[in-house]
Amino acid sequence: MAKKKLNKNWLHDHINDPYVKLAQKEGYRARAAYKLKEIDEDEKLIKPGQVIVDLGCTPGSWAQYTRRKLAGKEGGGIEGIIIGLDMLPMEPIADVHFIQGDFREARVLRQLEVLLAGRKADVVLSDMAPNLSGIASADAARMEHLIDLAVEFSQMHLKPSGALLVKCFNGTGYSQIVEKFRSEFKAVAQKKPKASRDKSSEIFLLGRGLKHPIENKVLVDDSALDI
């Protein structure tokens, strides 16, 4: 009974959420677009001409926002390149290259390298999150694992001067994640956009300037994500 009431309350809050209504009005697939929008406007992350990689991109609202920021003159096309990766399928978005699969697999990395054509990303975005079990220590470990993957990916595919934005949760293990970010990036900011629900422990970390970029090295693990 309690679970049913909780689901009903969530549905009520979701339907009446102003960001949900705004997303429907402006054509975004999820309210998450406004989290990225606020961070981008504050930090001036996304600019025409950039190479942007979106990890865990499904359903695509971050890619949609990014595409609008890179849109060129009227008539179509974008200034730059957007590559989205996810293990889940995603409905196509104009001018966004989508690769379905685990970005640690050789097959996926080969597709990515073809699209990058020798270039490095200006920005790597990650809205990835594990399926939460409710066990704080286990969930913290899974979240940290995903962030480690995003950092490793950035070390290989991000420009030394580039930026990585990841989602995490402010709870068990969060301080260790922040310290790890500081050990890998020259500048680190913690962002809590207004579109993040007050009840949520969700917070975003932004790292700029890699301390330890990896040149000409591809880390490949053919195992599936264990989250």
Side-chain angles (χ1 to χ4, degrees), residues 2 9 31 34 62 65 71 75 82 93 107 109-110 136 141 165 182-183 194 215 227:
N9 289 341
R31 67 192 298 285
Y34 298 101
W62 278 24
Y65 173 79
I82 305 167
I93 298 171
R107 172 188 62 82
L109 285 175
R110 280 194 295 270
L165 177 68
R182 286 179 176 148
S183 73
K194 295 183 182 70
E215 293 296 334
I227 59 172

mmCIF file of all heavy atoms in Angstrom, residues 2 9 31 34 62 65 71 75 82 93 107 109-110 136 141 165 182-183 194 215 227:
data_model
loop_
_atom_site.group_PDB
_atom_site.id
_atom_site.type_symbol
_atom_site.label_atom_id
_atom_site.label_comp_id
_atom_site.label_asym_id
_atom_site.label_seq_id
_atom_site.Cartn_x
_atom_site.Cartn_y
_atom_site.Cartn_z
ATOM 1 N N ALA A 2 1.950 1.226 0.822
ATOM 2 C CA ALA A 2 2.832 2.392 0.901
ATOM 3 C C ALA A 2 3.500 2.664 -0.441
ATOM 4 O O ALA A 2 3.645 3.813 -0.862
ATOM 5 C CB ALA A 2 3.878 2.179 1.990
ATOM 6 N N ASN A 9 2.055 9.554 -5.584
ATOM 7 C CA ASN A 9 2.601 10.876 -5.263
ATOM 8 C C ASN A 9 3.628 11.308 -6.297
ATOM 9 O O ASN A 9 3.663 12.467 -6.721
ATOM 10 C CB ASN A 9 3.244 10.864 -3.870
ATOM 11 C CG ASN A 9 2.214 10.769 -2.757
ATOM 12 O OD1 ASN A 9 1.036 11.058 -2.972
ATOM 13 N ND2 ASN A 9 2.650 10.361 -1.580
ATOM 14 N N ARG A 31 12.867 16.194 -18.985
ATOM 15 C CA ARG A 31 13.124 17.431 -18.254
ATOM 16 C C ARG A 31 14.616 17.633 -17.973
ATOM 17 O O ARG A 31 15.058 18.732 -17.644
ATOM 18 C CB ARG A 31 12.335 17.434 -16.940
ATOM 19 C CG ARG A 31 12.813 16.385 -15.950
ATOM 20 C CD ARG A 31 11.868 16.180 -14.792
ATOM 21 N NE ARG A 31 11.695 17.364 -13.974
ATOM 22 C CZ ARG A 31 12.587 17.827 -13.116
ATOM 23 N NH1 ARG A 31 13.756 17.242 -12.994
ATOM 24 N NH2 ARG A 31 12.312 18.897 -12.389
ATOM 25 N N TYR A 34 16.911 20.657 -19.061
ATOM 26 C CA TYR A 34 17.026 21.947 -18.379
ATOM 27 C C TYR A 34 18.126 21.947 -17.326
ATOM 28 O O TYR A 34 18.611 23.012 -16.938
ATOM 29 C CB TYR A 34 15.665 22.341 -17.792
ATOM 30 C CG TYR A 34 14.654 22.495 -18.899
ATOM 31 C CD1 TYR A 34 13.730 21.486 -19.164
ATOM 32 C CD2 TYR A 34 14.674 23.597 -19.746
ATOM 33 C CE1 TYR A 34 12.836 21.591 -20.221
ATOM 34 C CE2 TYR A 34 13.796 23.714 -20.801
ATOM 35 C CZ TYR A 34 12.876 22.706 -21.036
ATOM 36 O OH TYR A 34 11.999 22.809 -22.097
ATOM 37 N N TRP A 62 19.672 15.575 -23.613
ATOM 38 C CA TRP A 62 20.930 16.325 -23.594
ATOM 39 C C TRP A 62 21.456 16.497 -25.017
ATOM 40 O O TRP A 62 21.983 17.553 -25.367
ATOM 41 C CB TRP A 62 21.965 15.615 -22.711
ATOM 42 C CG TRP A 62 21.791 15.916 -21.247
ATOM 43 C CD1 TRP A 62 20.639 16.315 -20.627
ATOM 44 C CD2 TRP A 62 22.793 15.858 -20.237
ATOM 45 N NE1 TRP A 62 20.865 16.501 -19.282
ATOM 46 C CE2 TRP A 62 22.176 16.229 -19.017
ATOM 47 C CE3 TRP A 62 24.138 15.513 -20.241
ATOM 48 C CZ2 TRP A 62 22.884 16.272 -17.808
ATOM 49 C CZ3 TRP A 62 24.844 15.558 -19.036
ATOM 50 C CH2 TRP A 62 24.229 15.936 -17.843
ATOM 51 N N TYR A 65 19.433 19.260 -26.653
ATOM 52 C CA TYR A 65 19.867 20.591 -26.239
ATOM 53 C C TYR A 65 21.181 20.965 -26.911
ATOM 54 O O TYR A 65 21.348 22.074 -27.433
ATOM 55 C CB TYR A 65 20.019 20.665 -24.713
ATOM 56 C CG TYR A 65 20.630 21.973 -24.267
ATOM 57 C CD1 TYR A 65 19.856 23.129 -24.200
ATOM 58 C CD2 TYR A 65 21.994 22.073 -23.969
ATOM 59 C CE1 TYR A 65 20.424 24.348 -23.842
ATOM 60 C CE2 TYR A 65 22.561 23.286 -23.615
ATOM 61 C CZ TYR A 65 21.766 24.417 -23.550
ATOM 62 O OH TYR A 65 22.325 25.625 -23.204
ATOM 63 N N ALA A 71 23.484 24.401 -33.613
ATOM 64 C CA ALA A 71 22.765 24.620 -34.869
ATOM 65 C C ALA A 71 23.355 25.810 -35.621
ATOM 66 O O ALA A 71 23.635 26.862 -35.040
ATOM 67 C CB ALA A 71 21.283 24.850 -34.596
ATOM 68 N N GLY A 75 18.106 26.196 -42.166
ATOM 69 C CA GLY A 75 18.246 25.352 -43.343
ATOM 70 C C GLY A 75 18.880 24.019 -43.017
ATOM 71 O O GLY A 75 19.026 23.158 -43.873
ATOM 72 N N ILE A 82 28.301 15.910 -32.836
ATOM 73 C CA ILE A 82 27.742 15.344 -31.609
ATOM 74 C C ILE A 82 27.679 13.833 -31.773
ATOM 75 O O ILE A 82 27.121 13.329 -32.749
ATOM 76 C CB ILE A 82 26.322 15.873 -31.313
ATOM 77 C CG1 ILE A 82 26.302 17.406 -31.269
ATOM 78 C CG2 ILE A 82 25.794 15.300 -29.992
ATOM 79 C CD1 ILE A 82 24.905 17.994 -31.308
ATOM 80 N N ILE A 93 18.014 11.582 -33.703
ATOM 81 C CA ILE A 93 17.981 13.037 -33.576
ATOM 82 C C ILE A 93 18.804 13.586 -34.736
ATOM 83 O O ILE A 93 19.926 13.129 -34.978
ATOM 84 C CB ILE A 93 18.581 13.513 -32.239
ATOM 85 C CG1 ILE A 93 17.763 12.973 -31.059
ATOM 86 C CG2 ILE A 93 18.652 15.042 -32.186
ATOM 87 C CD1 ILE A 93 18.413 13.209 -29.714
ATOM 88 N N ARG A 107 34.373 -2.962 -30.572
ATOM 89 C CA ARG A 107 33.488 -2.635 -31.707
ATOM 90 C C ARG A 107 32.974 -1.205 -31.597
ATOM 91 O O ARG A 107 32.963 -0.456 -32.584
ATOM 92 C CB ARG A 107 32.306 -3.622 -31.729
ATOM 93 C CG ARG A 107 31.226 -3.279 -32.745
ATOM 94 C CD ARG A 107 30.008 -4.179 -32.589
ATOM 95 N NE ARG A 107 29.378 -4.036 -31.293
ATOM 96 C CZ ARG A 107 28.515 -3.067 -30.972
ATOM 97 N NH1 ARG A 107 28.210 -2.134 -31.858
ATOM 98 N NH2 ARG A 107 27.969 -3.021 -29.769
ATOM 99 N N LEU A 109 34.267 1.269 -29.755
ATOM 100 C CA LEU A 109 35.384 2.218 -29.830
ATOM 101 C C LEU A 109 35.844 2.436 -31.267
ATOM 102 O O LEU A 109 36.217 3.543 -31.637
ATOM 103 C CB LEU A 109 36.548 1.726 -28.971
ATOM 104 C CG LEU A 109 36.367 1.882 -27.456
ATOM 105 C CD1 LEU A 109 37.523 1.239 -26.714
ATOM 106 C CD2 LEU A 109 36.212 3.342 -27.061
ATOM 107 N N ARG A 110 35.795 1.370 -32.072
ATOM 108 C CA ARG A 110 36.173 1.517 -33.477
ATOM 109 C C ARG A 110 35.219 2.466 -34.193
ATOM 110 O O ARG A 110 35.637 3.319 -34.986
ATOM 111 C CB ARG A 110 36.198 0.153 -34.172
ATOM 112 C CG ARG A 110 37.464 -0.651 -33.898
ATOM 113 C CD ARG A 110 37.598 -1.819 -34.867
ATOM 114 N NE ARG A 110 36.544 -2.805 -34.701
ATOM 115 C CZ ARG A 110 36.614 -3.854 -33.890
ATOM 116 N NH1 ARG A 110 37.706 -4.055 -33.157
ATOM 117 N NH2 ARG A 110 35.626 -4.719 -33.809
ATOM 118 N N ALA A 136 22.749 1.854 0.350
ATOM 119 C CA ALA A 136 23.590 3.029 0.126
ATOM 120 C C ALA A 136 25.005 2.679 -0.316
ATOM 121 O O ALA A 136 25.522 3.261 -1.276
ATOM 122 C CB ALA A 136 23.628 3.885 1.391
ATOM 123 N N ALA A 141 28.970 2.590 -4.686
ATOM 124 C CA ALA A 141 30.029 1.905 -5.430
ATOM 125 C C ALA A 141 29.706 1.860 -6.916
ATOM 126 O O ALA A 141 30.586 2.059 -7.770
ATOM 127 C CB ALA A 141 30.226 0.490 -4.880
ATOM 128 N N LEU A 165 31.462 16.673 -17.742
ATOM 129 C CA LEU A 165 30.341 16.905 -16.827
ATOM 130 C C LEU A 165 29.683 15.570 -16.526
ATOM 131 O O LEU A 165 29.266 14.863 -17.443
ATOM 132 C CB LEU A 165 29.324 17.860 -17.460
ATOM 133 C CG LEU A 165 28.066 18.143 -16.631
ATOM 134 C CD1 LEU A 165 28.400 18.956 -15.376
ATOM 135 C CD2 LEU A 165 27.006 18.872 -17.462
ATOM 136 N N ARG A 182 39.209 15.954 -8.418
ATOM 137 C CA ARG A 182 40.236 16.977 -8.231
ATOM 138 C C ARG A 182 41.632 16.450 -8.558
ATOM 139 O O ARG A 182 42.511 17.230 -8.937
ATOM 140 C CB ARG A 182 40.189 17.502 -6.791
ATOM 141 C CG ARG A 182 38.981 18.407 -6.552
ATOM 142 C CD ARG A 182 38.921 18.915 -5.136
ATOM 143 N NE ARG A 182 37.811 19.854 -4.968
ATOM 144 C CZ ARG A 182 37.110 20.010 -3.850
ATOM 145 N NH1 ARG A 182 37.405 19.292 -2.780
ATOM 146 N NH2 ARG A 182 36.124 20.883 -3.798
ATOM 147 N N SER A 183 41.816 15.155 -8.409
ATOM 148 C CA SER A 183 43.121 14.574 -8.745
ATOM 149 C C SER A 183 43.311 14.437 -10.251
ATOM 150 O O SER A 183 44.442 14.300 -10.723
ATOM 151 C CB SER A 183 43.276 13.201 -8.074
ATOM 152 O OG SER A 183 42.467 12.227 -8.704
ATOM 153 N N LYS A 194 18.574 24.152 -10.773
ATOM 154 C CA LYS A 194 17.214 24.265 -10.241
ATOM 155 C C LYS A 194 16.308 23.148 -10.746
ATOM 156 O O LYS A 194 15.350 22.765 -10.078
ATOM 157 C CB LYS A 194 16.609 25.625 -10.609
ATOM 158 C CG LYS A 194 17.316 26.815 -9.986
ATOM 159 C CD LYS A 194 16.604 28.111 -10.333
ATOM 160 C CE LYS A 194 17.318 29.327 -9.751
ATOM 161 N NZ LYS A 194 18.609 29.587 -10.419
ATOM 162 N N GLU A 215 47.654 9.511 -24.263
ATOM 163 C CA GLU A 215 47.870 9.688 -25.694
ATOM 164 C C GLU A 215 48.052 8.337 -26.386
ATOM 165 O O GLU A 215 48.795 7.482 -25.904
ATOM 166 C CB GLU A 215 49.117 10.544 -25.944
ATOM 167 C CG GLU A 215 48.965 11.991 -25.491
ATOM 168 C CD GLU A 215 47.906 12.751 -26.255
ATOM 169 O OE1 GLU A 215 47.625 12.387 -27.404
ATOM 170 O OE2 GLU A 215 47.350 13.718 -25.696
ATOM 171 N N ILE A 227 26.131 -3.040 -13.814
ATOM 172 C CA ILE A 227 25.489 -2.089 -12.905
ATOM 173 C C ILE A 227 24.072 -2.535 -12.632
ATOM 174 O O ILE A 227 23.249 -1.793 -12.181
ATOM 175 C CB ILE A 227 25.511 -0.655 -13.452
ATOM 176 C CG1 ILE A 227 24.781 -0.593 -14.808
ATOM 177 C CG2 ILE A 227 26.933 -0.148 -13.615
ATOM 178 C CD1 ILE A 227 24.577 0.793 -15.333
#
